[in-house]
C-alpha cells in the first residue's frame, strides 16, 4: 500500500469522463428521529472526501438525489461527508469500494453472474443540523453548548431527547460539534406563528460524553477522529465510545435551570437556549 492509500499500480485519471458511472453514491437525508427514515428531499451541496485520496471527481444527480464519486480504487475506504454551507454536521463512513474490472475467467462463474462485485456502491446517511444553521420560524428548538466546569466545550457529546413526531413519542439523538455547540430541532412540536404561545414543557434528556481516549483524539483532529457510522450505532459499540454524564442546565444569562438534570425545558414553537454543564 502506498503512502496515499492507493493500490500498487493504481493511478487516478487526470479527468474522469463525464459519462463514467459513479463508483460510490451517497443518499444523504435530513435526520428526523431514531428508528425512522430521513426526510426528503435528499440534501444537495455536500462534499465527499475519500481520506488519503486526492482528485476523485464528485457530482450530484438531482433526479436521484445521489452525491457520488466517479473515480475510486477498489477496496476499503473511509469517506467523510461534510457540508461546505455548514447546514449539517459531518459524518464518516467506511465502505468497501467494488472493483470495476471484469473478474478473471474461471471454470464456473461467481455467484450472482459475471458482473458480481462490479455494481456501483450506494449507501445512505442521515445528517443532523449544524448549530450554525438558521432555525425556521415556528420550529421548536433548543440551542446551546455542552461544556465542562472550566467552560471548555465537549466535542461529539451525545444528546438523546424524548419528543413527539406525528403525534407519537420518539427518541431524537444529536451530537455536539467540535466546539461543543448543539442544535436540537423538534419538528414534531412546532406551532403556528399566529397561535398564542403554549406553556413551557419538559422533555426527558440523556447526555453521554466521549471516553477519554476518544475525547483526546477529537481535540487533536475532530474530523480525523470522528467515528464511522454514528447514525444508528449499535448499543455495544456506543457503550465503548461514550459514557453517561449528568449535566446542569444553565440559561443564556448563566442562571441555573430549575428542572432536574434529566429534564430539558422547551417552549413549543420557539427557540430557547440551554447550556449543559458537566460536573468535572
Amino acid at each position: 500500500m502506498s503512502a496515499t492509500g492507493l493500490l500498487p499500480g493504481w493511478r487516478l485519471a487526470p479527468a474522469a469522463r463525464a459519462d463514467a458511472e459513479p463508483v460510490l453514491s451517497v443518499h444523504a437525508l435530513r435526520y428526523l428521529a431514531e428508528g425512522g427514515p430521513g426526510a426528503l428531499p435528499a440534501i444537495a451541496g455536500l462534499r465527499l472526501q475519500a481520506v488519503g485520496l486526492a482528485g476523485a471527481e464528485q457530482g450530484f444527480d438531482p433526479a436521484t438525489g445521489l452525491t457520488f464519486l466517479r473515480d475510486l480504487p477498489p477496496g476499503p475506504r473511509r469517506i467523510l461527508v461534510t457540508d461546505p454551507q455548514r447546514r449539517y454536521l459531518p459524518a464518516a463512513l467506511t465502505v468497501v469500494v467494488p472493483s470495476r474490472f471484469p473478474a478473471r475467467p474461471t471454470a464456473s462463474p461467481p455467484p450472482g453472474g459475471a458482473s458480481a462485485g462490479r455494481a456501483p456502491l450506494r449507501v445512505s446517511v442521515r445528517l443532523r443540523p449544524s448549530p450554525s444553521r438558521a432555525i425556521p420560524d415556528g420550529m421548536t428548538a433548543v440551542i446551546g453548548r455542552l461544556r465542562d466546569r472550566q467552560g471548555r466545550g465537549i466535542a461529539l457529546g451525545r444528546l438523546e431527547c424524548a419528543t413527539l413526531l406525528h403525534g407519537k413519542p420518539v427518541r431524537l439523538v444529536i451530537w455536539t460539534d467540535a466546539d461543543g455547540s448543539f442544535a436540537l430541532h423538534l419538528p414534531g412540536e412546532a406551532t403556528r406563528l399566529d397561535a398564542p404561545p403554549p406553556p413551557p414543557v419538559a422533555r426527558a434528556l440523556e447526555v453521554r460524553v466521549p471516553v477519554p481516549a476518544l475525547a483526546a483524539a477529537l481535540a487533536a483532529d475532530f474530523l480525523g477522529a470522528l467515528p464511522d457510522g454514528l447514525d444508528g450505532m449499535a448499543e455495544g459499540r456506543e457503550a465503548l465510545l461514550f459514557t453517561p454524564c449528568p449535566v446542569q442546565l444553565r440559561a443564556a444569562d448563566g442562571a441555573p435551570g430549575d428542572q432536574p438534570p434529566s429534564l430539558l425545558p422547551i417552549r413549543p414553537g420557539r427557540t430557547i437556549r440551554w447550556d449543559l454543564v458537566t460536573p468535572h
Side-chain angles (χ1 to χ4, degrees):
M1 186 72 70
S2 66
T4 60
L6 296 179
L7 297 176
W10 182 277
R11 182 175 62 86
L12 285 178
R17 300 193 320 273
D19 60 347
E21 289 188 359
V23 177
L24 168 67
S25 297
V26 175
H27 197 222
L29 302 176
R30 179 169 53 87
Y31 173 86
L32 288 178
E34 293 297 288
L40 291 169
I43 302 170
L46 300 175
R47 178 175 181 245
L48 302 184
Q49 177 188 353
V51 176
L53 179 65
E57 184 187 0
Q58 177 176 315
F60 178 76
D61 182 356
T64 61
L66 297 176
T67 303
F68 58 82
L69 292 173
R70 279 201 174 99
D71 203 355
L72 288 177
R77 179 65 56 189
R78 175 174 162 88
I79 304 294
L80 292 177
V81 184
T82 57
D83 182 10
Q85 301 178 50
R86 301 181 65 187
R87 300 163 298 171
Y88 298 95
L89 293 174
L93 309 167
T94 293
V95 299
V96 179
V97 179
S99 173
R100 289 171 289 160
F101 300 103
R104 292 182 178 180
T106 58
S108 58
S115 61
R118 290 186 282 123
L121 179 64
R122 173 176 169 175
V123 295
S124 298
V125 63
R126 299 176 301 171
L127 299 182
R128 272 72 168 175
S130 165
S132 60
R133 182 181 181 182
I135 299 175
D137 291 338
M139 169 76 75
T140 303
V142 180
I143 60 174
R145 189 166 179 247
L146 176 63
R147 57 183 176 86
D148 61 20
R149 292 183 61 184
Q150 288 72 42
R152 296 170 297 199
I154 299 176
L156 205 66
R158 181 187 186 277
L159 278 58
E160 180 175 329
C161 180
T163 182
L164 300 175
L165 190 62
H166 307 307
K168 298 180 179 179
V170 296
R171 295 179 303 114
L172 191 150
V173 173
I174 62 167
W175 308 90
T176 63
D177 66 7
D179 185 50
S181 298
F182 64 87
L184 178 65
H185 292 191
L186 306 173
E189 306 205 37
T191 61
R192 294 193 353 249
L193 294 177
D194 57 352
V201 296
R203 299 297 182 217
L205 175 70
E206 179 182 313
V207 177
R208 294 174 180 262
V209 297
V211 296
L214 176 57
L218 290 164
D221 182 359
F222 182 77
L223 285 179
L226 192 64
D228 295 349
L230 285 176
D231 185 20
M233 180 182 295
E235 291 186 6
R237 181 167 176 251
E238 179 184 297
L240 295 175
L241 297 177
F242 301 91
T243 183
C245 182
V247 293
Q248 183 181 51
L249 274 63
R250 295 277 181 176
D253 61 0
D258 56 3
Q259 294 279 359
S262 59
L263 292 179
L264 181 69
I266 65 172
R267 287 186 175 274
R270 304 291 186 270
T271 297
I272 188 172
R273 180 180 180 107
W274 286 111
D275 287 342
L276 309 176
V277 183
T278 66
H280 305 294

